[in-house]
């Protein structure tokens, strides 16, 4: 049993067999190991051998009657696996030469080849092929044979363990086949983590080295509340976690049960709680979790899942469906935010050295006008089917808004000429996620009907922290005094111009930050649907006036650590413990 800790990316507990993915490239390399890793590497070797043994025994038992007599070949392979020349030598090489299991196997094979080359007997020389077969099977298990998400060979639900999962990979994940996932790369705000939360799949990310510590088929526990992963748990741990899993499910049911209660503080402050959405399939989850509408519909995924660009009509039908099914609630469709870590398979783009600072989002759209036009036409055409709002990502100043509005005006005239219906008074919003947008929020507020603060990017750009790079994610700090000031500044600038200010970054869905966001006077919080019930619950337990004076106190503090201590203290004093928030408080915040 081995317990590892990393970033809690999506809450919940998963228990099941590992499905090792795309580890091949890192594990077939020959690697020298440190003295203290010898034991782990020997165990890894042993586990891989046992796994192949199990596979072979299964194969023998499943052999059709007519070839049963040949089972001896497979039985001899099992013997070879445990043969001194293979097994003992392999273990010996790991110990003496301090090499990883793959390298040790290669040394084994070379030595056997040397011995066999001196043998004259043809039959015995042919046995070398069998040894090669057996050794390669062990190597394949060590490497993780799968390189793509292909569930055709998966018979029971699994926990995916991978070096990395692209957002496109994550889209293929179905809740029936995937219990949870663990990746070496990523952070809480990488899109893979965001999707895991929307799908309600427990996940731990940023766990360096996990693909070389477990094998397909081994049992794993993923604790997405605490950011823990346990490989091959013992019986006591398993039963403790089964209990914890049951408690969590009960807790979720109870929270969801109250999800339609209003998000109103004890002193009567109403804040809208909306959902972030990526896929049309999420609509039932959004409704079931008590969303008052969609504050952010990310539209990248329709472009990522198809090989060719979606047509205007395809987009129109998708948007129409979302708006109609969520009626009378508002749906905020954000225009294409491709680029950065959201790369469309064939669509994008020149490879850029700094994609997050490159041709992304609104810049990309203003550059690719044909593509942008098609999307805007589709959104406008869908706007007559419900309460649809438009949101523009990554705006850095007034100049871009002028270009966008000019284009929008042209498209409206065009649609009118064509006799196509649309809502000319459609509300338009600006995502505030670039520091210059904060600094010019007073100007931008006159160009839009609402703001939505995108903290995922705002924090990335203001602290200069790559949001998908786990090496710097401990520096990603939502409670940095600079970040808090920027949020406050945006809210105040928006309110001075009488427009509503919401937040749709992941910060809006974290329990710990709710008192701050209430205290700052935000009008709307939009988050992954799974988070809505618990955030609403915290809002109902809050007093906005108290939160506001708490925020004044926070804004006088000088460092993120000081803020963090105060916030945790405030939380413990004012809110009763419950499973997700308490675990979140225990969770090492520096990892976020
Ligand atoms: C954000 O940046 O906070 C945001 C909501 O947009 P995305 O995560 O899609 O970049
Ligand atoms: Mg963003």
């Amino acid at each position: 049993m081995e317990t590892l800790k990393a970033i809690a990316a999506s809450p919940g507990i998963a228990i099941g067999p590992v499905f090792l993915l795309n580890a091949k490239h890192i594990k077939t390399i020959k690697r020298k190991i440190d003295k203290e890793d010898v034991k782990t590497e020997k165990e890894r070797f042993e586990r891989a051998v046992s796994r192949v043994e199990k596979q072979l025994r299964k194969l023998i038992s499943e052999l059709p009657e007519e070839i049963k007599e040949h089972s001896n070949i497979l039985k001899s392979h099992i013997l070879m696996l445990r043969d001194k020349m293979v097994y003992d030598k392999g273990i010996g090489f790991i110990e003496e030469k301090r090499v990883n299991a793959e390298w040790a196997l290669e040394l084994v094979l070379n030595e056997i080849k040397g011995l066999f080359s001196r043998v004259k007997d043809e039959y015995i020389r042919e046995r070398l092929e069998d040894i090669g077969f057996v050794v390669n099977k062990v190597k394949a298990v060590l490497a993780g044979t799968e390189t793509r998400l292909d569930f055709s060979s998966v018979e029971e639900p699994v926990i995916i363990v991978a070096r990395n999962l692209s957002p496109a990979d994550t889209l293929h994940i179905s809740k029936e086949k995937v219990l949870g996932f663990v990746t070496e790369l990523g952070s809480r705000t990488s899109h893979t983590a965001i999707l895991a939360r929307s799908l309600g799949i427990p996940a731990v990310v940023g766990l360096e080295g996990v693909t070389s510590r477990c094998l397909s088929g081994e049992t794993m526990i993923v604790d997405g509340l605490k950011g823990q992963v346990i490989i091959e748990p013992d019986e006591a741990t398993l039963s403790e976690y089964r209990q914890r899993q049951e408690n969590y499910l009960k807790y979720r049911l109870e929270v969801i049960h109250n999800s339609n209660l209003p998000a109103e503080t004890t002193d009567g402050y109403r804040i809208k709680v909306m959902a972030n959405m990526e896929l049309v399939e999420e609509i039932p989850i959004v409704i079931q979790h008590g969303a008052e509408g969609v504050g952010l519909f990310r539209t990248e995924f329709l472009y990522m899942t198809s090989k060719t660009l979606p047509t205007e009509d395809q987009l129109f039908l998708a948007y129409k469906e979302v708006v109609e099914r969520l009626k009378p609630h508002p749906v905020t469709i954000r225009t294409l935010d491709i680029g950065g870590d959201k790369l469309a398979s064939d669509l994008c783009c020149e490879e850029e050295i700094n994609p997050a600072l490159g041709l992304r989002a609104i810049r990309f759209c203003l550059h690719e006008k044909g593509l942008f036009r098609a999307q805007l036409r589709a959104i406008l055409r869908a706007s007559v089917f419900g309460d649809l709002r438009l949101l523009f990502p990554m705006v850095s100043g007034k100049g871009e808004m002028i270009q966008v509005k000019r284009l929008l005006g042209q498209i409206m005239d065009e649609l009118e000429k064509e006799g196509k219906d649309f809502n000319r008074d459609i509300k338009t919003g600006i995502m505030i996620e670039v520091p210059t947008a904060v600094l010019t929020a007073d100007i931008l507020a006159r160009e839009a009907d609402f703001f939505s603060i995108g903290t995922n990017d705002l924090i990335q750009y203001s602290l200069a922290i790559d949001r998908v790079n786990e090496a710097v994610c401990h520096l990603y700090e939502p409670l940095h005094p600079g970040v808090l000031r920027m949020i406050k500044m945006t809210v105040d600038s928006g309110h001075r111009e009488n427009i509503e200010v919401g937040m749709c970054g992941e910060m809006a869905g974290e329990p710990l930050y709710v008192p701050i966001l209430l205290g700052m006077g935000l009008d709307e919080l939009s988050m992954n649907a799974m988070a809505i019930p618990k955030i609403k619950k915290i809002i109902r337990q809050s007093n906005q006036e108290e939160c506001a004076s708490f925020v004044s106190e926070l804004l006088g503090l000088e460092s993120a650590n000081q803020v963090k201590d105060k916030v945790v203290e405030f939380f413990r004093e004012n809110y009763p413990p419950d499973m997700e928030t308490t675990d979140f408080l225990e969770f090492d915040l520096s990892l976020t």
Side-chain angles (χ1 to χ4, degrees):
M1 171 164 125
E2 188 176 17
T3 304
L4 307 166
K5 197 156 169 38
I7 301 167
S10 176
I13 312 277
I15 305 172
V18 167
F19 180 82
L20 195 57
L21 188 77
N22 73 22
K24 208 168 197 155
H25 58 292
I26 35 169
K27 294 230 268 94
T28 43
I29 51 170
K30 295 179 191 167
R31 195 163 43 84
K32 279 276 187 190
I33 54 173
D34 294 333
K35 191 168 174 217
E36 56 272 25
D37 292 332
V38 166
K39 185 167 170 278
T40 322
E41 199 61 21
K42 281 187 347 196
E43 283 167 8
R44 192 169 155 254
F45 181 83
E46 156 57 28
R47 296 206 308 261
V49 170
S50 308
R51 178 137 185 89
V52 173
E53 198 174 327
K54 252 195 225 161
Q55 286 172 350
L56 290 171
R57 287 196 196 288
K58 189 159 179 271
L59 217 63
I60 294 172
S61 69
E62 288 167 357
L63 277 184
E65 261 331 298
E66 48 296 6
I67 49 169
K68 266 247 163 0
E69 55 182 301
H70 298 295
S71 67
N72 279 342
I73 304 174
L74 296 175
K75 283 182 189 151
S76 71
H77 286 170
I78 293 177
L79 291 176
M80 281 174 202
L81 264 180
R82 295 288 176 184
D83 190 279
K84 273 201 195 115
M85 270 200 307
V86 176
Y87 188 85
D88 294 0
K89 276 270 174 193
I91 293 281
F93 283 142
I94 294 174
E95 209 162 58
E96 290 150 26
K97 298 193 186 289
R98 301 251 187 90
V99 293
N100 64 343
E102 290 86 336
W103 196 346
L105 279 167
E106 206 164 299
L107 294 173
V108 163
L109 207 55
N110 286 343
E111 196 166 289
I112 296 175
K113 270 185 197 158
L115 287 175
F116 274 51
S117 64
R118 282 178 250 135
V119 177
K120 294 261 168 343
D121 186 308
E122 193 64 20
Y123 176 79
I124 293 188
R125 281 178 58 165
E126 272 174 16
R127 301 287 62 77
L128 182 61
E129 261 179 45
D130 290 311
I131 297 177
F133 166 82
V134 165
V135 167
N136 279 334
K137 254 187 127 29
V138 181
K139 272 174 132 180
V141 169
L142 286 167
T145 42
E146 310 295 332
T147 52
R148 276 182 318 115
L149 259 188
D150 170 10
F151 289 119
S152 49
S153 60
V154 175
E155 283 159 14
E156 52 179 338
V158 290
I159 291 171
I160 297 181
V161 179
R163 172 102 182 121
N164 193 15
L165 282 176
S166 69
D169 275 338
T170 324
L171 287 177
H172 294 294
I173 287 177
S174 71
K175 277 194 83 165
E176 291 73 49
K177 288 216 162 170
V178 179
L179 301 166
F181 68 76
V182 180
T183 59
E184 296 198 349
L185 303 184
S187 69
R188 271 182 79 79
T189 52
S190 57
H191 283 87
T192 310
I194 292 175
L195 267 174
R197 288 198 283 277
S198 329
L199 294 166
I201 296 176
V204 170
V205 302
L207 187 50
E208 188 56 45
V210 65
T211 57
S212 50
R213 299 186 106 96
C214 61
L215 299 169
S216 281
E218 288 185 339
T219 304
M220 180 178 270
I221 298 173
V222 180
D223 183 344
L225 292 156
K226 293 196 165 167
Q228 246 173 31
V229 165
I230 304 171
I231 303 166
E232 290 282 79
D234 57 29
E235 262 315 309
T237 312
L238 256 183
S239 63
E240 178 197 325
Y241 266 88
R242 287 205 183 100
Q243 188 58 48
R244 204 165 136 67
Q245 188 178 40
E246 209 179 299
N247 294 348
Y248 180 69
L249 293 177
K250 265 195 221 140
Y251 160 85
R252 280 300 301 177
L253 280 180
E254 195 188 303
V255 178
I256 291 173
H257 183 70
N258 294 323
S259 61
N260 280 317
L261 294 177
E264 186 171 315
T265 61
T266 52
D267 53 342
Y269 181 81
R270 276 291 264 128
I271 185 164
K272 279 175 247 165
V273 177
M274 316 274 271
N276 291 354
M277 245 182 81
E278 281 82 32
L279 312 166
V280 176
E281 294 76 44
E282 287 174 82
I283 294 173
I285 305 182
V286 166
I287 295 171
Q288 188 201 8
H289 285 73
E292 297 171 72
V294 172
L296 169 65
F297 180 52
R298 291 187 170 93
T299 55
E300 297 69 74
F301 296 93
L302 270 179
Y303 293 79
M304 284 176 168
T305 41
S306 71
K307 279 245 178 304
T308 51
L309 278 181
T311 63
E312 178 187 323
D313 279 344
Q314 281 168 337
L315 294 172
F316 162 68
L317 289 175
Y319 302 155
K320 176 171 174 277
E321 182 181 348
V322 177
V323 173
E324 278 184 334
R325 284 174 62 188
L326 281 155
K327 218 160 141 181
H329 299 303
V331 174
T332 314
I333 299 193
R334 180 179 71 183
T335 59
L336 192 59
D337 186 3
I338 218 95
D341 71 325
K342 292 168 277 191
L343 293 179
S345 44
D346 281 356
L347 207 192
C348 252
C349 312
E350 292 294 318
E351 250 190 40
E352 296 175 306
I353 294 176
N354 272 321
L357 304 180
L359 197 58
R360 198 197 137 174
I362 200 71
R363 307 168 186 176
F364 176 76
C365 287
L366 288 171
H367 186 261
E368 296 288 333
K369 287 244 176 59
L371 180 145
F372 196 26
R373 272 178 170 279
Q375 185 181 36
L376 288 175
R377 281 178 60 98
I379 296 174
L380 283 173
R381 283 170 58 200
S383 67
V384 287
F385 294 93
D387 183 359
L388 197 158
R389 311 190 290 181
L390 244 177
L391 180 60
F392 299 104
M394 281 270 295
V395 172
S396 61
K398 182 172 168 174
E400 276 153 347
M401 276 316 286
I402 290 182
Q403 288 185 63
V404 166
K405 283 163 85 175
R406 192 182 304 135
L407 187 67
L408 198 63
Q410 284 168 6
I411 294 173
M412 285 181 173
D413 293 346
E414 213 172 86
L415 287 172
E416 199 162 78
K417 270 196 209 122
E418 292 168 26
K420 296 212 162 81
D421 277 349
F422 64 94
N423 174 14
R424 199 173 262 281
D425 299 320
I426 188 167
K427 297 239 178 310
T428 54
I430 297 176
M431 283 203 67
I432 303 293
E433 48 186 350
V434 177
T436 50
V438 176
L439 295 169
T440 56
D442 54 331
I443 302 166
L444 288 175
R446 294 192 281 273
E447 303 299 326
D449 300 302
F450 64 95
F451 281 160
S452 188
I453 307 176
T455 47
N456 306 341
D457 279 314
L458 185 59
I459 297 169
Q460 151 164 278
Y461 294 129
S462 52
L463 286 173
I465 301 295
D466 180 351
R467 66 191 262 192
V468 292
N469 182 344
E470 71 293 339
V472 288
C473 69
H474 60 290
L475 302 170
Y476 187 94
E477 188 43 87
L479 297 181
H480 191 291
V483 174
L484 296 187
R485 286 180 194 193
M486 281 198 279
I487 298 171
K488 183 78 170 81
M489 199 171 160
T490 308
V491 175
D492 292 347
S493 299
H495 285 175
R496 267 196 294 273
E497 292 296 328
N498 293 319
I499 67 166
E500 289 198 346
V501 183
M503 177 180 285
C504 62
E506 290 304 297
M507 202 175 162
E510 301 286 15
L512 198 60
Y513 307 141
V514 172
I516 305 179
L517 305 179
L518 281 171
M520 294 230 182
L522 278 139
D523 303 290
E524 177 186 307
L525 300 178
S526 191
M527 62 204 71
N528 70 83
M530 305 291 283
I532 291 176
K534 76 174 175 229
I535 296 294
K536 274 187 161 182
K537 187 172 157 195
I538 295 169
I539 292 169
R540 288 195 298 273
Q541 292 165 340
S542 303
N543 179 299
Q544 201 266 343
E545 242 179 69
E546 276 170 28
C547 292
S549 57
F550 176 57
V551 165
S552 320
E553 198 185 327
L554 289 185
L555 288 170
L557 298 178
E558 294 180 357
S559 75
N561 278 343
Q562 282 178 2
V563 177
K564 209 182 292 177
D565 290 346
K566 273 266 174 265
V567 174
V568 171
E569 186 188 308
F570 184 85
F571 218 90
R572 289 203 201 280
E573 274 171 13
N574 291 284
Y575 300 88
D578 86 19
M579 208 166 168
E580 273 179 89
T581 46
T582 312
D583 280 350
F584 192 73
L585 293 182
E586 278 175 25
F587 166 65
D588 182 359
L589 280 167
S590 67
L591 287 169
T592 57

